[in-house]
Amino acid sequence: MTVIEVEKLAKRYGETVAVRDVSFNVEPGEIFGILGPNGAGKTTTVECVAGLRTPDAGRITVLGMPAADPRLRTRIGVQLQESELQDKITVREALELYSSFYPDPADWRELAADLGLTAKLKSRFGKLSGGQKQRLSIALALIGNPEIAILDELTTGLDPQARRDTWDLISGIRDRGVTLILVTHFMEEAERLCDRIVVIDHGAVAALDTPAGLIQRAGDQQKIRFRPSVPIEDELLTVLPEVRAVHRQGNRIEVTGSGDLLHAVVSVLARNGITAAELTLEQSTLDDAFVHLTGRE
Amino acid sequence: MSVFAKLTLTEIRLTLREPVYAFFTLLFPVLLVTILGNVPDMKEAPPELGGLRVIDLYAGLALGLAIGIVGLQGLPSVLATYRERGILRRLATTPAPPAALLAAQLVMNLLTMLLSMVLVYTVAIVAFDVPFPANPALFLLAVLLNCAGAFSLGLLLSALAPTGKTANAIGTFLFFPMMFFAGLWVPRELMPEILARIGDFTPLAAGQDLMTDALMGQSPGVLSITVLVGYLVVCGAAAVKLFRWE
């Protein structure tokens, strides 16, 4: 059963078109990424899915119900950007208060432990670090034992270590059987965590695929750099079907191509008794795919 | 415990952590009565006051001052801040309606004002011989209506103001003329006629009149009640209609 169906979603604010045409399905248990440049319409899309905004056009079904159905509030957990709490509320009070909203809440003590907040239970929200606030936000999104959790830009503003810790956490949440929607503009985050990604640009879907699939679409680009032990002719390499181009930078050679490029190049060098020093291989990343799809950095 | 009760308890708990709020709502009115009560002129009873002494009026004004501070400054800035900082938006993603948090704030402030009333009048009655209200039920109603007028104006302010800071600025701007009309600087009974009649239509002044009526056991002023209920209905309905949740 598909847990979320979004069909031809459109939403404008006055003159500004936030979302023009967005459709996608989310399957149970997956981590589904929504990727796009700033202002592409990602947040508006998830706010419509979360039932916080009414779409101008299109249809959104969540767990078999229209997204606006209030009964869904107990079954979806949402962490929004720039949603804070009262400065003077303690972590414990917030967890207790929010768990009282739900019919079948998670044990907030366990949740606090999972999110590394146990030592901070008596701290007030205003005194927490950015990472701790973010973790509390995630805890509050999960406190109702939701079937779906929507996390918007959850690692924005975190330092690299906190970001990696959060990623581990996300994998842990998926293991509880929660379907996750992750809104992000970090390529590395999407590539590492998401099963499938929809790329939204200018309010419309630019692509929908697995991270590997998206990279493939951007053109399978590989780049090998090395320093040959003896000087070689370009032809030695350009005759290989895998090789597209050969460039020289001083005594270093840069070969671009596709397919099993590394194997082809190393084999031909070996046959000629040449060794390749300082060899590096670069493959296209989601970054390249993103630039290819959206035409932006 | 219901979600609303939980939210109200949380708001009470959070407010107890705000020393400035506690000072202006609970301590300041008592302090004002204590200081004024020791000024000999305050014990006089000019004929215009119909038998009351100046201090008898100032007990009500001290409470009205707290009601004005809460209604015009505290409430709007807290609610606008709750919106500005996405606290209402976060609540909107849960089964708890964000309106329940607004209601919890109102109830918390109302309870604080009732506590302030008890404190102010205990000191005023025990230490300065201010009479116990001749009509206690009407007096309680007068205090509640006084709160209703100021709070609904504050609610409308929080609905209209884009940020907590603006809400506070507008509230402060309204606060001083309204306290003036309520008689904080010159009792309403001693004001020039024209100022007193303008004051009739401001909420804190109407509330003050109604409290004086109850104190003296007079029948309540119909105009005062109409004005306060009018503020409650008009500002309250406008606030409900215009309130932006984000």
Side-chain angles (χ1 to χ4, degrees):
Chain A
M1 184 197 117
T2 302
V3 288
I4 298 173
E5 287 173 66
V6 177
E7 229 183 276
K8 294 194 187 319
L9 173 70
K11 176 78 188 174
R12 59 164 70 224
Y13 305 114
E15 293 289 289
T16 321
V17 178
V19 175
R20 210 153 33 87
D21 178 17
V22 167
S23 304
F24 58 83
N25 289 344
V26 179
E27 303 302 324
E30 74 174 334
I31 301 186
F32 186 83
I34 298 183
L35 201 66
N38 290 333
K42 301 176 302 237
T43 294
T44 300
T45 301
V46 290
E47 284 177 341
C48 289
V49 171
L52 291 171
R53 293 189 192 283
T54 314
D56 297 331
R59 205 171 52 91
I60 305 177
T61 312
V62 180
L63 300 168
M65 291 183 240
D69 195 310
R71 282 173 296 172
L72 284 172
R73 299 290 82 76
T74 60
R75 300 174 68 186
I76 309 179
V78 185
Q79 179 257 322
L80 294 169
Q81 291 181 73
E82 287 155 23
S83 285
E84 298 190 37
L85 289 169
Q86 295 94 321
D87 268 339
K88 306 242 165 153
I89 199 166
T90 66
V91 170
R92 184 196 165 117
E93 286 164 352
L95 289 168
E96 278 186 314
L97 178 66
Y98 277 69
S99 70
S100 76
F101 298 160
Y102 295 91
D104 176 30
D107 181 344
W108 61 262
R109 285 175 194 82
E110 262 175 47
L111 205 52
D114 286 353
L115 285 149
L117 288 168
T118 306
K120 288 280 156 194
L121 285 176
K122 286 183 184 153
S123 305
R124 294 180 181 181
F125 182 77
K127 304 268 181 212
L128 298 179
S129 72
Q132 290 160 348
K133 284 180 180 173
Q134 201 68 284
R135 277 183 278 150
L136 178 57
S137 252
I138 298 170
L140 295 180
L142 298 176
I143 203 149
N145 262 330
E147 291 156 68
I148 302 171
I150 299 175
L151 307 171
D152 191 0
E153 299 284 3
L154 91 155
T155 62
T156 302
L158 297 190
D159 62 56
Q161 183 57 50
R163 182 170 299 151
R164 277 178 176 70
D165 291 346
T166 310
W167 289 347
D168 289 342
L169 204 92
I170 297 301
S171 309
I173 298 168
R174 187 237 303 267
D175 297 341
R176 300 164 177 233
V178 179
T179 304
L180 279 156
I181 312 269
L182 222 61
V183 181
T184 183
H185 63 260
F186 286 117
M187 301 305 140
E188 198 191 346
E189 180 168 299
E191 197 170 347
R192 276 181 60 152
L193 293 175
C194 297
D195 298 307
R196 288 190 310 138
I197 295 169
V198 62
V199 180
I200 296 181
D201 191 26
H202 295 299
V205 172
L208 172 57
D209 211 329
T210 59
L214 288 175
I215 295 166
Q216 197 88 44
R217 281 192 208 200
D220 172 25
Q221 269 271 16
Q222 299 181 37
K223 204 176 274 181
I224 299 174
R225 288 199 191 92
F226 63 94
R227 187 168 49 77
S229 54
V230 293
I232 56 168
E233 296 295 319
D234 284 2
E235 287 76 50
L236 190 66
L237 300 170
T238 48
V239 294
L240 297 169
E242 289 88 353
V243 173
R244 203 174 302 136
V246 176
H247 298 285
R248 288 172 184 274
Q249 294 169 330
N251 59 0
R252 288 167 62 90
I253 294 180
E254 184 184 283
V255 185
T256 51
S258 56
D260 207 351
L261 181 67
L262 183 63
H263 180 73
V265 169
V266 172
S267 305
V268 80
L269 292 177
R271 275 202 299 280
N272 291 280
I274 303 164
T275 54
E278 295 161 32
L279 183 128
T280 60
L281 170 67
E282 251 177 49
Q283 282 180 306
S284 2
T285 61
L286 199 52
D287 251 328
D288 302 316
F290 185 75
V291 172
H292 173 77
L293 286 166
T294 65
R296 303 189 215 177
E297 294 287 336
Chain B
M1 203 189 302
S2 78
V3 165
F4 177 66
K6 260 277 200 187
L7 281 168
T8 307
L9 266 182
T10 305
E11 288 306 302
I12 290 173
R13 206 181 288 162
L14 296 184
T15 303
L16 291 175
R17 292 173 194 162
E18 302 284 355
V20 176
Y21 179 91
F23 174 78
F24 278 107
T25 55
L26 301 174
L27 197 60
F28 187 59
V30 171
L31 220 59
L32 194 67
V33 167
T34 310
I35 293 168
L36 295 178
N38 283 299
V39 176
D41 285 358
M42 289 284 161
K43 306 254 171 72
E44 285 169 15
E48 291 90 340
L49 299 192
L52 285 179
R53 297 169 307 155
V54 181
I55 185 64
D56 300 334
L57 287 179
Y58 270 94
L61 283 166
L63 181 59
L65 185 75
I67 293 174
I69 289 174
V70 166
L72 294 171
Q73 296 180 289
L75 187 68
S77 82
V78 167
L79 293 185
T81 305
Y82 280 5
R83 170 178 56 222
E84 197 180 339
R85 300 187 55 191
I87 294 167
L88 297 176
R89 216 161 90 93
R90 184 197 294 279
L91 220 47
T93 69
T94 73
L101 183 60
L102 266 50
Q105 258 290 319
L106 288 172
V107 168
M108 182 278 294
N109 282 307
L110 204 57
L111 292 175
T112 311
M113 287 305 107
L114 291 178
L115 179 59
S116 189
M117 172 190 79
V118 171
L119 292 177
V120 165
Y121 277 88
T122 303
V123 171
I125 291 167
V126 171
F128 302 106
D129 299 321
V130 169
F132 188 85
N135 187 344
L138 179 64
F139 188 81
L140 186 64
L141 181 72
V143 172
L144 290 176
L145 278 176
N146 203 355
C147 290
F151 288 10
S152 47
L153 198 58
L155 204 58
L156 181 59
L157 256 180
S158 67
L160 296 176
T163 67
K165 275 202 180 110
T166 347
N168 198 290
I170 304 172
T172 307
F173 182 77
L174 289 176
F175 173 74
F176 288 103
M178 282 176 50
M179 278 321 297
F180 170 80
F181 284 119
L184 187 62
W185 287 276
V186 182
R188 283 172 56 64
E189 289 77 0
L190 304 178
M191 270 181 197
E193 182 68 12
I194 175 81
L195 290 181
R197 294 295 77 80
I198 295 172
D200 286 347
F201 295 93
T202 64
L204 291 172
Q208 171 70 15
D209 282 354
L210 212 51
M211 279 159 58
T212 308
D213 289 341
L215 196 69
M216 300 177 73
Q218 297 167 346
S219 59
V222 176
L223 180 62
S224 309
I225 294 182
T226 314
V227 165
L228 289 172
V229 172
Y231 273 97
L232 175 64
V233 171
V234 174
C235 295
V240 167
K241 183 131 181 65
L242 298 173
F243 199 86
R244 291 169 298 112
W245 295 99
E246 54 186 271

